[in-house]
């Protein structure tokens, strides 16, 4: 049955029409308890969602929708390992990777907890060996640099975390990431490195992703051009993959392949051995703290009634803002420098999961699904695109993410940063009307002609919804909770919107075409089946190149 036939859906449509006439200022004036009613305190973070265009009636209606969509049943199915990735017929068990209770979980008769624990033990042993200098390269020198070669989920997650937790690294190793098939990136990364001291991790669940394979082969040649011996590959390459056969063919020894499983989606995989660069950088214990933080969020998600359940609330608000109130994009705005890759990470997490237009039964969806996700560090954004957030015709709901304590306390900095953090959500909400603008200009002694000219430009309508996520401090545990919070938000959105969040068919079409065009670029024969634009572009490229 389509979601649009549910009584709660219809009630929300009506309610949205009324709500569109209201203003956040009015809602705050009418209810002094808004913050208490619309915020959630968790051990490592606070979520304030009171600056959304919602009332208690809205929240009750949204929770009713979640109930009519049988969210709790679906949640149980996910954690129990049912094959909820319907189009690929797979279980979705990234939560098992961080289940610190180590409770056995059977999938097709196999206890996957044992597999997870043995991979973790292997990561522990390996990361200690490399960090302590017991793993040596072909010439007997200790490893100083680790280069992770992977793309999408096999790069974004670990790289975002490596950047976010830099302050916790003891710098035993330098960690680098290569994801782009543009040779500029790998050349830049390798140029200053000594092949004798580099360890490559080829991270690819499928071990077929073309960009990753090309980069891995370039790295391999670079190593051999120094060692003059193919055997060196064994000492300088490890893999994280579900495709052992291809990894072995590449020259990586069986014992240096870390397992991946089909029940872990790429964009949810940083908790698996895909997180190996994190363990190498921070040490295994801090990697475990990250998992523990995520596990705490898993428990919150599983055990808390929907009305106070942070991921559920974030998802319902997204559905409310996007599907019912009509917003088309959502900004992720971190006010913590180390979180500078968070928006890029969230783009993959949410857009690759829910950027779809058919339901899980294959029928067209009759409503807007998820917004496009974008963003940048808040302060940089303030001096770039916040103009649009404050005064454009399009309302962009935004998540503001900051920390009470800075990881790098330098006198004066954090107060200025956080003053901006608080000021922006207030300004986006309350705005300033023409009357206030005129009064202000008058008080400043401006002449009437100037006031008439400028006043309309200084009006801010406000009423722009924001969530505030305030971490106590950015550390492995709180970061783990934050990421898991968004992962579960994405899952809930998928259930409400009837979307299969765990496949990504939309990336296949372009991949397939690229493979064909690559052949044409190599042999110079252009396929006549191309449209005239594509054909002429390829022709221009080839003739100009020649
Ligand atoms: O092209 C998209 C994608 O399939 C992502 O979902 C995935 O994270 C990425 O490519 C990398 O895939 P792999 O780990 O198999 O190389």
């Amino acid at each position: 049955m389509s979601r649009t036939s549910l009584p709660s859906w219809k009630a929300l449509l009506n309610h949205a029409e009324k709500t569109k006439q209201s203003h956040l200022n009015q809602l705050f004036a009418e209810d002094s308890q808004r913050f208490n009613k619309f915020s959630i305190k968790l051990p490592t973070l606070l979520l304030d969602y009171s600056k959304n265009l919602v009332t208690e009636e809205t929240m009750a209606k949204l929770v009713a929708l979640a109930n009519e969509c049988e969210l709790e049943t679906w949640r149980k199915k996910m954690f129990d390992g049912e094959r909820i990735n319907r189009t690929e017929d797979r279980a979705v068990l990234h939560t098992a990777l961080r289940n610190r209770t180590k409770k056995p979980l059977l999938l097709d008769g196999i206890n996957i907890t044992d597999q997870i624990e043995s991979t973790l033990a292997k990561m522990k042993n390996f990361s200690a060996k490399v960090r302590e200098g017991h793993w040596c390269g072909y010439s007997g020198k200790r490893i100083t640099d680790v280069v992770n070669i992977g793309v999408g989920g096999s790069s974004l997650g670990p790289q975002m975390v490596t950047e976010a937790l830099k302050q916790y690294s003891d710098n035993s190793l330098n960690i680098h990431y290569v994801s782009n098939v543009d040779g500029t990136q790998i050349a830049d990364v390798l140029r200053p490195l000594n092949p004798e001291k580099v360890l490559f991790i080829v991270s690819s669940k499928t071990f077929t992703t073309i960009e990753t394979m090309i980069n891995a082969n370039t790295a391999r040649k670079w190593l051999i051009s120094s060692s003059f011996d193919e055997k060196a590959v064994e000492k300088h390459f490890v893999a994280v993959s579900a495709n052992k056969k291809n990894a072995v063919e590449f020259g990586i020894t069986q014992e240096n392949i870390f397992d991946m499983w089909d029940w872990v989606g790429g964009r949810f995989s940083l908790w698996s051995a895909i997180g190996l660069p994190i363990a190498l950088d921070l040490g295994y214990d801090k990697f475990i703290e990250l998992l523990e933080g995520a596990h705490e969020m898993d428990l919150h998600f599983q055990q808390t009634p929907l009305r106070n359940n942070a991921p559920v609330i974030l998802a319902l608000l997204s559905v409310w803002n996007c599907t019912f109130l009509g917003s088309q994009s959502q900004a992720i705005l971190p006010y913590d420098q180390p979180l500078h890759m968070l928006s890029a990470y969230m783009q993959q997490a949410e857009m690759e999961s829910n950027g779809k237009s058919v339901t899980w039964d294959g029928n067209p969806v009759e409503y807007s699904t998820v917004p496009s996700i974008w963003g940048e560090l808040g302060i940089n954004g303030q001096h770039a695109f916040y103009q649009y957030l404050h005064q454009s015709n399009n309302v962009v709901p935004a998540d503001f993410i900051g920390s009470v304590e800075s990881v790098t306390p330098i006198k004066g900095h954090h107060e200025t940063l956080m003053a901006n953090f608080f000021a922006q959500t207030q300004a986006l909400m309350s705005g300033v009307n023409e009357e206030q603008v005129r009064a202000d200009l008058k008080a400043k002694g401006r002449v009437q002609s100037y006031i008439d000219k400028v006043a309309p430009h200084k009006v801010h309508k406000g009423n722009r919804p924001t969530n505030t996520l305030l971490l106590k401090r950015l550390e492995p545990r709180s970061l783990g909770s934050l990421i898991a919070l968004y992962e579960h938000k994405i899952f809930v959105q998928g259930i409400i919107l009837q979307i299969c969040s765990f496949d990504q068919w939309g990336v296949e079409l372009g991949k397939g075409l690229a493979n064909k065009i690559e052949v044409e670029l190599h042999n110079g024969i252009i396929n006549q089946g191309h449209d005239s634009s594509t054909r002429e572009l390829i022709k221009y490229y080839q003739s100009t190149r020649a």
Side-chain angles (χ1 to χ4, degrees):
M1 184 167 83
S2 166
R3 294 300 193 222
T4 55
S5 334
L6 296 173
S8 57
W9 190 279
K10 292 181 185 158
L12 279 161
L13 277 180
N14 283 331
H15 184 63
E17 286 315 306
K18 274 188 249 152
T19 307
K20 283 177 192 164
Q21 315 305 320
S22 57
H23 196 289
L24 278 164
N25 284 340
Q26 173 203 341
L27 299 183
F28 270 86
E30 284 168 6
D31 186 355
S32 61
Q33 291 305 305
R34 268 190 83 77
F35 175 80
N36 292 333
K37 286 179 185 166
F38 305 119
S39 64
I40 299 174
K41 286 194 185 100
L42 297 175
T44 55
L45 63 91
L46 163 77
L47 164 64
D48 170 26
Y49 60 96
S50 60
K51 293 190 182 95
N52 277 276
L53 218 41
V54 294
T55 58
E56 283 183 280
E57 187 188 350
T58 322
M59 295 315 298
K61 286 184 157 56
L62 286 166
V63 169
L65 173 63
N67 283 324
E68 285 185 1
C69 296
E70 298 175 340
L71 174 62
E72 290 174 335
T73 308
W74 282 104
R75 181 180 63 191
K76 182 164 174 359
K77 285 184 188 193
M78 177 170 76
F79 280 89
D80 287 353
E82 285 196 34
R83 295 176 183 271
I84 62 164
N85 176 353
R86 301 178 187 206
T87 63
E88 295 179 323
D89 193 28
R90 289 175 182 171
V92 174
L93 277 171
H94 47 280
T95 51
L97 297 166
R98 58 215 190 197
N99 187 341
R100 304 309 301 148
T101 65
K102 303 180 188 171
K103 206 172 118 201
L105 180 60
L106 289 183
L107 192 65
D108 300 329
I110 296 167
N111 181 4
I112 63 162
T113 305
D114 287 347
Q115 296 180 324
I116 294 166
E117 287 307 310
S118 93
T119 300
L120 280 172
K122 187 164 162 175
M123 287 172 73
K124 181 177 183 179
N125 185 24
F126 177 76
S127 53
K129 213 164 159 184
V130 179
R131 284 167 55 77
E132 289 160 18
H134 304 310
W135 177 292
C136 297
Y138 70 86
S139 62
K141 296 197 173 118
R142 71 182 285 169
I143 299 296
T144 55
D145 291 78
V146 174
V147 179
N148 189 81
I149 299 179
V151 71
S154 299
S155 170
L156 267 173
Q159 190 176 10
M160 182 274 284
V161 172
T162 303
E163 290 294 311
L165 298 178
K166 235 183 197 147
Q167 303 296 327
Y168 297 89
S169 166
D170 60 6
N171 300 316
S172 300
L173 297 163
N174 305 308
I175 312 288
H176 313 265
Y177 288 87
V178 172
S179 57
N180 198 337
V181 74
D182 183 334
T184 313
Q185 191 186 26
I186 193 161
D188 283 349
V189 168
L190 297 185
R191 195 172 299 117
L193 305 186
N194 177 351
E196 295 165 81
K197 301 179 182 178
V198 176
L199 177 76
F200 293 98
I201 306 173
V202 186
S203 252
S204 177
K205 183 172 157 184
T206 55
F207 222 87
T208 55
T209 305
I210 192 80
E211 296 89 337
T212 300
M213 293 306 117
I214 291 179
N215 279 323
N217 279 308
T218 297
R220 195 176 187 281
K221 278 188 210 137
W222 177 79
L223 174 76
I224 294 169
S225 71
S226 152
S227 64
F228 302 108
D229 183 2
E230 296 247 341
K231 287 294 277 177
V233 172
E234 284 177 13
K235 296 201 154 145
H236 291 265
F237 280 82
V238 299
V240 183
S241 187
N243 184 348
K244 287 217 169 95
K245 183 177 159 280
N246 282 23
V248 169
E249 271 167 27
F250 180 88
I252 297 170
T253 43
Q254 191 90 22
E255 72 201 45
N256 295 334
I257 301 171
F258 292 79
D259 275 338
M260 258 291 270
W261 304 278
D262 73 357
W263 40 266
V264 185
R267 54 193 172 275
F268 303 100
S269 65
L270 72 88
W271 323 101
S272 70
I274 293 286
L276 189 60
I278 306 170
L280 284 164
D281 188 27
L282 305 180
Y284 178 78
D285 291 349
K286 293 222 167 51
F287 179 68
I288 292 296
E289 285 172 31
L290 185 79
L291 303 193
E292 284 168 353
H295 181 56
E296 275 169 24
M297 186 56 70
D298 293 343
L299 294 177
H300 167 81
F301 178 50
Q302 284 176 287
Q303 295 169 356
T304 313
L306 302 188
R307 180 61 188 84
N308 295 312
N309 193 310
V312 174
I313 296 295
L314 278 185
L316 291 175
L317 289 171
S318 167
V319 173
W320 175 239
N321 285 327
C322 179
T323 311
F324 290 97
L325 297 182
S327 301
Q328 292 186 348
S329 79
Q330 143 117 55
I332 302 284
L333 305 169
Y335 276 71
D336 248 314
Q337 174 70 29
L339 288 178
H340 69 95
M341 283 191 64
L342 189 67
S343 1
Y345 175 78
M346 290 303 171
Q347 267 174 349
Q348 188 198 16
E350 186 162 326
M351 293 167 83
E352 195 168 74
S353 298
N354 289 336
K356 292 161 190 172
S357 51
V358 290
T359 64
W360 52 48
D361 299 320
N363 297 312
V365 289
E366 301 166 23
Y367 35 81
S368 308
T369 54
V370 290
S372 51
I373 303 287
W374 59 284
E376 161 61 294
L377 285 173
I379 289 287
N380 294 346
Q382 281 178 216
H383 296 276
F385 56 77
Y386 273 36
Q387 163 64 40
Y388 185 97
L389 299 187
H390 284 284
Q391 284 189 314
S392 88
N393 280 337
N394 297 321
V395 172
V396 181
D399 286 1
F400 281 69
I401 301 154
S403 298
V404 175
E405 258 182 65
S406 167
V407 286
T408 319
I410 303 176
K411 203 168 184 300
H413 283 246
H414 200 56
E415 285 64 35
T416 305
L417 176 71
M418 295 311 283
N420 278 278
F421 178 77
F422 296 122
Q424 287 296 331
T425 59
Q426 187 178 352
L428 285 163
M429 178 190 91
S430 35
V432 52
N433 64 30
E434 187 157 347
E435 206 182 318
Q436 291 167 292
V437 170
R438 285 179 176 276
D440 183 45
L441 289 170
K442 203 165 183 182
K444 286 184 177 140
R446 296 296 194 165
V447 296
Q448 194 57 41
S449 58
Y450 178 83
I451 296 176
D452 290 344
K453 186 171 123 189
V454 166
H457 298 277
K458 294 189 68 139
V459 170
H460 293 59
K461 288 187 192 148
N463 215 20
R464 318 254 155 170
T466 57
N467 293 312
T468 297
L469 287 132
L470 197 49
L471 308 187
K472 288 188 178 155
R473 183 185 160 88
L474 182 59
E475 52 194 11
R477 186 176 293 272
S478 59
L479 182 65
S481 288
L482 181 72
I483 301 167
L485 168 67
Y486 276 99
E487 285 181 347
H488 293 318
K489 171 203 166 186
I490 289 162
F491 164 77
V492 176
Q493 285 171 315
I495 298 301
I496 304 288
L497 299 167
Q498 257 186 333
I499 280 172
C500 182
S501 305
F502 300 103
D503 58 24
Q504 55 283 318
W505 300 104
V507 299
E508 297 302 328
L509 178 63
K511 272 190 201 172
L513 272 176
N515 289 343
K516 288 188 189 145
I517 292 176
E518 194 175 333
V519 175
E520 297 168 37
L521 295 185
H522 282 303
N523 67 17
I525 304 164
I526 303 171
N527 179 349
Q528 288 313 305
H530 292 303
D531 59 84
S532 64
S533 161
T534 310
R535 188 177 58 245
E536 291 306 316
L537 284 168
I538 298 173
K539 260 197 203 164
Y540 177 81
Y541 170 81
Q542 286 186 320
S543 61
T544 309
R545 202 174 177 212

